[in-house]
Amino acid sequence: MLSNSSKYAIKGVLYLALNSNRDHKVMVRDIYTVVHVPEAYLAKLLQELSRHGIISSTRGPKGGFYLSEEDRKHTLLEIVQVIDGENRLNSCVMGIRNCDMDNPCVLHKLVGGNKSKFIRVLESTKILDLVDGKQGIEEFFPL
Amino acid sequence: MLSNSSKYAIKGVLYLALNSNRDHKVMVRDIYTVVHVPEAYLAKLLQELSRHGIISSTRGPKGGFYLSEEDRKHTLLEIVQVIDGENRLNSCVMGIRNCDMDNPCVLHKLVGGNKSKFIRVLESTKILDLVDGKQGIEEFFPL
DNA sequence: CATAAAAAGGATAAAAATATCTTTTAATCT
DNA sequence: AGATTAAAAGATATTTTTATCCTTTTTATG
């Protein structure tokens, strides 16, 4: 449903949400040990998100990745779509051909409701929603 | 969430549910064109299910795969567990360490509810439930 | 008993996902 | 300007998943 890559990406972004801003950028090196994702791999994912304007980055000394206030308004779904592509989430849970959310097959009806709900959650959850909750920051870690 | 292999397996079993019984066994050859799964690959999956006693088979002329009345009482979850292993479905949706359904992380709470529901559907749906519905057989195909 | 039909099993191949390594580009700081 | 730092980009490697092929074993039937 979600690839590892997407999960990694979300974790990375969550770290950024908690620990970065325009004046405090963080290097992949600071992130990867905390979120338990291989450094180079995480770098790739963040680069991809950056290219798509989901997160921000600058090169060079004092550079790094960070989230602007605007960035924080992006949804989890946007992250997933950048990393996994548009299709993965929308295709039939059961892999049935010619079957999607609009025209669900019999198996789809069984489980499809849950899935669309899952997507709706991703769609309606902004990055800032994750952090602005009542929970303390600690609750997020270890990721 | 579900591997392709699991989906293939479920489709194959569904075909068996609709088209086989102890007195009418079917060959992989009859199934694979209908459910759009590569012949040899489907054979492997069905063999695996057969070894685990989820479906039945006999060799030789007039042999093939089929579902006994007992077989039909197996759940979709059992199929998935044979094919994907126990772990895949139970691990955290977000891939967070030390997080499972009993001790959900923050991200888990967001989406975890949907997932456990998904699992509960798989768990509570027997093979015969799929076929005994009001829907006509045609509705299941093309798979 | 011979033969053919069909699953079972083993070994290999191809593709996709995951991960690492190396080089390039851009920013900052002497 | 030159040195250094860090992301960006590109190339390569590894692992897992998916798929195929080929041989062996079992079994019904003539």
Side-chain angles (χ1 to χ4, degrees):
Chain A
M1 198 127 150
L2 280 193
S3 69
N4 276 331
S5 298
S6 273
K7 296 173 191 172
Y8 288 174
I10 291 176
K11 291 201 235 173
V13 170
L14 180 51
Y15 181 96
L16 290 178
L18 292 168
N19 300 290
S20 82
N21 58 54
R22 199 183 307 275
D23 300 320
H24 181 70
K25 294 150 188 149
V26 303
M27 295 183 292
V28 197
R29 163 180 286 265
D30 298 322
I31 312 177
Y32 86 94
T33 43
V34 181
V35 301
H36 301 102
V37 176
E39 180 171 14
Y41 196 54
L42 179 61
K44 286 275 150 163
L45 296 171
L46 293 181
Q47 282 161 24
E48 189 82 7
L49 291 177
S50 179
R51 266 194 294 119
H52 282 83
I54 309 283
I55 70 179
S56 305
S57 66
T58 61
R59 297 177 176 187
K62 300 286 169 189
F65 294 96
Y66 67 99
L67 295 185
S68 68
E69 291 312 306
E70 277 305 303
D71 292 338
R72 289 167 199 268
K73 295 181 187 155
H74 287 112
T75 66
L76 295 184
L77 185 63
E78 288 177 274
I79 295 174
V80 171
Q81 284 179 335
V82 164
I83 302 296
D84 285 349
E86 301 279 328
N87 226 312
R88 180 167 184 144
L89 266 186
N90 280 328
S91 63
C92 172
V93 208
M94 285 294 166
I96 309 289
R97 310 183 326 157
N98 308 321
C99 166
D100 57 25
M101 240 102 73
D102 299 325
N103 185 30
C105 66
V106 176
L107 292 175
H108 212 123
K109 280 179 206 151
L110 258 186
V111 292
N114 306 306
K115 193 189 159 202
S116 6
K117 189 147 167 257
F118 178 78
I119 294 179
R120 277 200 302 278
V121 170
L122 293 181
E123 199 173 20
S124 62
T125 306
K126 296 193 174 63
I127 294 168
L128 56 86
D129 298 330
L130 283 178
V131 180
D132 284 359
K134 293 112 207 99
Q135 304 90 348
I137 284 175
E138 325 70 58
E139 277 201 45
F140 287 106
F141 299 98
L143 295 178
Chain B
M1 196 127 152
L2 279 192
S3 70
N4 276 330
S5 297
S6 272
K7 297 172 190 172
Y8 288 174
I10 290 176
K11 291 200 236 173
V13 170
L14 180 51
Y15 182 95
L16 290 178
L18 293 168
N19 300 289
S20 81
N21 58 54
R22 200 185 307 274
D23 300 320
H24 181 70
K25 293 150 189 150
V26 302
M27 296 181 292
V28 195
R29 162 180 286 265
D30 298 323
I31 312 178
Y32 86 94
T33 44
V34 181
V35 301
H36 301 102
V37 176
E39 181 171 13
Y41 196 54
L42 179 60
K44 287 276 152 164
L45 296 171
L46 293 181
Q47 281 163 26
E48 189 80 7
L49 292 177
S50 179
R51 265 193 294 120
H52 283 82
I54 310 283
I55 69 178
S56 305
S57 67
T58 62
R59 297 177 176 188
K62 300 285 169 190
F65 294 96
Y66 66 99
L67 295 185
S68 68
E69 291 313 305
E70 277 306 303
D71 292 338
R72 290 166 199 268
K73 294 181 188 156
H74 287 112
T75 66
L76 295 185
L77 184 63
E78 288 176 274
I79 296 174
V80 171
Q81 285 179 335
V82 164
I83 302 298
D84 285 349
E86 302 279 328
N87 227 311
R88 180 168 184 144
L89 220 42
N90 279 329
S91 62
C92 173
V93 208
M94 285 295 167
I96 309 289
R97 310 182 328 156
N98 309 320
C99 166
D100 57 24
M101 240 103 71
D102 298 326
N103 184 29
C105 66
V106 175
L107 293 175
H108 213 123
K109 280 179 207 152
L110 257 186
V111 293
N114 305 306
K115 195 189 158 202
S116 5
K117 188 149 168 255
F118 178 79
I119 295 178
R120 277 200 303 279
V121 170
L122 293 180
E123 198 172 19
S124 62
T125 306
K126 296 194 174 62
I127 294 168
L128 57 86
D129 297 330
L130 283 178
V131 180
D132 284 359
K134 293 114 207 95
Q135 304 90 348
I137 284 175
E138 324 72 56
E139 277 200 45
F140 287 106
F141 299 98
L143 294 177

